[in-house]
Every structure is written in structure tokens, then in C-alpha cells.
Amino acid sequence: MAHILIVEDNPFFRQTLKRMLLTKFPSLEVSEAADGQEALVKIEETLPHLIFMDIALPGEDGIELTQRIRNAYPEMSIVIISNYDTSEYRESALQAGATSFLSKRSSSPSDIFDTVQSSSLV
């Protein structure tokens, strides 16, 4: 079964994204983490195929966490999804190993769904 991990400290956004994904793709397994430490535990437990990663997280930020995950699990797809939509953040995310970058402000649900579909999970 395809598995997605959402790493996001805002519980409302995290749960909304999870509900959207499960409504559109009911066969997916979706788990959540509120910070980097919890994310690393979930990754070891579930080995997700795709991670939606926020940048602003308590403790280690999403860029640093992306680089750590990419080094340990080079096959995982990591999509940064953040309000920090600047060219500097986009470039840092891609240099850290993110597969792509989505803006929380301007990305639509269909952008998120397209990302999941392009990851060959559904």
C-alpha cells in the first residue's frame, strides 16, 4: 500500500491535507508528524513513498530535515509545502534534495493531487 507522511506543525493544516488526500485517494495510507523528531520515527516505522514537508518546524527546520532524510533514504520523494515561497527557499529546498516545492498560498488541491499522481502512488 502506498504511504504518505505529512510533516507539519500546524494541526489544522496537517489534518486538512490528510482529509483531502484520503478523500481523493482512499487507498492511500497517510500518517502525520508535528516535528522533525516525530517525522524521523514515522519514517523508520512506515518508510513512506512520499513526504509533504513544511519548512517552519519546531527544532530542526524542514530544509535540514529534508537533507537528512535524502541522505538516509535517497529513493523517497520529498515535497516541500510552505508559506515561505521565495526563490531562496525554493533553491535551498531543491539543493537539500526536495523533489519539488509547493506554495501553501498559491497551490490548489489539484496541484497537490497532481503531485501524488506523478509520484506513481495511485
Side-chain angles (χ1 to χ4, degrees):
M1 176 180 289
H3 188 102
I4 292 178
L5 174 63
I6 301 168
V7 184
E8 167 66 55
D9 63 328
N10 180 312
F12 177 76
F13 184 84
R14 189 174 64 238
Q15 291 163 10
T16 300
L17 180 55
K18 181 177 182 176
R19 275 192 302 275
M20 279 180 20
L21 290 169
L22 290 174
T23 298
K24 178 73 174 175
F25 308 110
S27 65
L28 287 178
E29 185 176 321
V30 180
S31 60
E32 307 170 44
D35 59 38
Q37 197 68 4
E38 186 179 2
L40 293 172
V41 169
K42 297 273 180 153
I43 289 167
E44 286 184 26
E45 291 174 355
T46 63
L47 291 174
H49 300 88
L50 173 64
I51 300 171
F52 284 104
M53 174 84 66
D54 189 22
I55 289 178
L57 296 169
E60 189 172 24
D61 74 45
I63 302 282
E64 294 166 347
L65 189 57
T66 295
Q67 190 166 16
R68 282 182 65 188
I69 294 167
R70 176 64 60 221
N71 288 338
Y73 304 96
E75 71 286 351
M76 279 185 197
S77 294
I78 304 170
V79 176
I80 299 290
I81 184 164
S82 180
N83 281 321
Y84 297 112
D85 187 11
T86 66
S87 59
E88 293 83 12
Y89 278 109
R90 284 178 177 268
E91 185 175 322
S92 293
L94 296 175
Q95 286 179 351
T99 310
S100 61
F101 188 105
L102 294 173
S103 169
K104 286 182 183 176
R105 294 181 194 155
S106 62
S107 294
S108 68
S110 65
D111 294 328
I112 293 168
F113 300 152
D114 289 348
T115 299
V116 171
Q117 289 174 318
S118 69
S119 297
S120 301
L121 296 180
V122 291

